[in-house]
Amino acid sequence: MKRFLTHIIYFLSFASIVYVIMVFVWGSLSPSLLKPNINYNLGSYGYLNSRLKEVKQVSAVDIVFLGSSHTSRGFDNRIFAQAGYSSFNLGSAAQTPLQTQLLVERYLERLNPKLVIYEVYPASFMLDGIESGLDVVSNDKNDWLTLKMASKINQLKVYNTLLYSVLRDLTGMDDDYVEPIKFKKNTYISGGYIERMVYFNEPKTYTDSIDFYFPAQQIESFEFVINAVKASGAKLKLVYAPITKALYQSYTNNNYFDQTMRKYGDYKNYNKVLELNDTVHFYDDNHLNQLGVKIFNDQIIEDLKQGAL
């Protein structure tokens, strides 16, 4: 029996080594279509690589922005700077509370903000976190916080990509990588914002209605973020950023979402404040173009100065 167990241990050890080698070789050499369970996206469309390199050089800002692409594409640091506020934008594509928690644990103390504006888009609570998790794994350092996030997502693709990313880190394969500032219609702006070339939306018609729901795992991370921000001494403002009227009206329980968010602190739904045009002020149903961003940010700044936010 002892000999049998020894053989099992040897086999598992050998198999583990072979698996690590195969992940590295397969991830490095195979075309993306042939490796569906490894999704390494260094320098993806959301500029997270640039954002998280820059944040390591920043400290002590007035405002930190958290949330999904509504954040990274919705809060222009330059507009806030003109109003006298220094800021950093930690938004990322499809960011769910699972990834927000990781970024808060990793960077909130460094940034030491006076105010945190957390954009709380209802759909971000309902996502599985895979897309944003892969983005973080591919574009930031990987440590026990990353492993904790991956274990909560609990998907083979995320585990494999994390392993592959760690191996690339250890071999220094990406040490010299510099992400292009401009990509197609997007430009990365220092401070974490993504400026989109002015482009006008073609509104969609929504025939299906959507009900919000809040998975326990996402709520747990959301509450962690709320408590961590409050413990840091920073003020916290929860914001529902504008989306097109067509998309907003397709959600059946907006009032329920508003009521839920108000339980966690100061909250404002800007879909009920601003009169924006679905074509003129958006580049798609989810995202403001630069014209819309200016209106939205000016209103946020006015509300901050008047104490209405």
Side-chain angles (χ1 to χ4, degrees):
M1 183 66 178
K2 182 178 179 181
R3 185 178 179 183
F4 173 74
L5 291 175
T6 301
H7 286 168
I8 291 293
I9 292 172
Y10 285 153
F11 172 77
L12 291 176
S13 299
F14 176 74
S16 298
I17 294 171
V18 170
Y19 187 80
V20 169
I21 294 172
M22 289 303 297
V23 164
F24 185 66
V25 172
W26 191 251
S28 299
L29 302 179
S30 299
S32 59
L33 291 176
L34 298 180
K35 49 183 180 184
N37 283 321
I38 301 175
N39 194 343
Y40 185 73
N41 292 310
L42 181 66
S44 60
Y45 60 91
Y47 288 98
L48 190 61
N49 186 274
S50 295
R51 186 174 297 108
L52 296 185
K53 281 182 179 176
E54 184 180 0
V55 73
K56 297 175 178 65
Q57 311 303 320
V58 176
S59 60
V61 296
D62 294 323
I63 305 172
V64 165
F65 302 105
L66 301 173
S68 68
S69 58
H70 293 170
T71 299
S72 59
R73 297 174 180 273
F75 294 97
D76 187 339
N77 307 85
R78 297 168 299 183
I79 296 174
F80 285 84
Q82 290 171 0
Y85 299 102
S86 61
S87 63
F88 198 88
N89 194 318
L90 277 176
S92 65
Q95 185 181 122
T96 75
L98 291 174
Q99 290 75 50
T100 309
Q101 177 179 344
L102 181 150
L103 295 173
V104 163
E105 290 187 89
R106 193 171 280 170
Y107 297 115
L108 185 64
E109 183 176 0
R110 161 177 282 281
L111 292 171
N112 190 27
K114 300 172 184 175
L115 169 66
V116 171
I117 295 180
Y118 187 178
E119 176 265 323
V120 286
Y121 181 45
S124 67
F125 287 85
M126 300 186 288
L127 297 174
D128 54 24
I130 293 177
E131 179 184 347
S132 184
L134 291 169
D135 198 14
V136 171
V137 165
S138 300
N139 289 290
D140 200 12
K141 65 182 180 180
N142 290 297
D143 53 19
W144 73 273
L145 291 175
T146 324
L147 181 60
K148 182 172 68 170
M149 178 196 69
S151 68
K152 290 181 178 180
I153 298 173
N154 198 28
Q155 291 288 331
L156 180 61
K157 182 186 295 187
V158 177
Y159 288 130
N160 281 345
T161 304
L162 173 57
L163 175 58
Y164 178 63
S165 183
V166 168
L167 293 171
R168 290 183 70 97
D169 290 344
L170 292 174
T171 55
M173 292 180 67
D174 302 321
D175 288 353
D176 298 327
Y177 176 77
V178 178
E179 187 173 25
I181 296 299
K182 291 182 178 290
F183 180 72
K184 295 184 178 179
K185 298 176 181 178
N186 303 302
T187 302
Y188 179 76
I189 304 300
S190 180
Y193 174 63
I194 303 174
E195 180 179 26
R196 174 83 173 195
M197 184 185 300
V198 174
Y199 180 84
F200 299 109
N201 181 40
E202 297 180 6
K204 298 177 183 177
T205 300
Y206 293 87
T207 56
D208 296 329
S209 59
I210 303 171
D211 291 328
F212 303 135
Y213 60 92
F214 303 97
Q217 184 170 252
Q218 295 290 7
I219 286 295
E220 180 183 342
S221 287
F222 178 68
E223 291 177 345
F224 179 97
V225 171
I226 299 297
N227 292 330
V229 171
K230 291 179 179 179
S232 75
K235 294 182 179 179
L236 175 66
K237 307 292 184 181
L238 304 177
V239 169
Y240 189 167
I243 54 178
T244 61
K245 292 183 180 67
L247 178 57
Y248 183 76
Q249 291 169 2
S250 73
Y251 296 146
T252 61
N253 51 350
N254 285 301
N255 289 334
Y256 169 68
F257 182 76
D258 290 346
Q259 292 167 5
T260 301
M261 290 299 104
R262 289 192 187 99
K263 294 177 182 177
Y264 290 100
D266 292 341
Y267 165 77
K268 195 162 190 176
N269 182 348
Y270 281 86
N271 291 280
K272 295 182 176 180
V273 175
L274 298 175
E275 285 296 328
L276 299 175
N277 183 283
D278 284 6
T279 298
V280 175
H281 297 119
F282 295 84
Y283 72 81
D284 64 24
D285 278 9
N286 263 291
H287 300 99
L288 297 162
N289 62 23
Q290 196 62 27
L291 298 175
V293 167
K294 181 69 166 65
I295 294 171
F296 174 44
N297 288 187
D298 284 347
Q299 185 64 58
I300 290 278
I301 291 167
E302 179 64 24
D303 287 347
L304 289 175
K305 290 182 175 180
Q306 296 296 327
L309 176 65

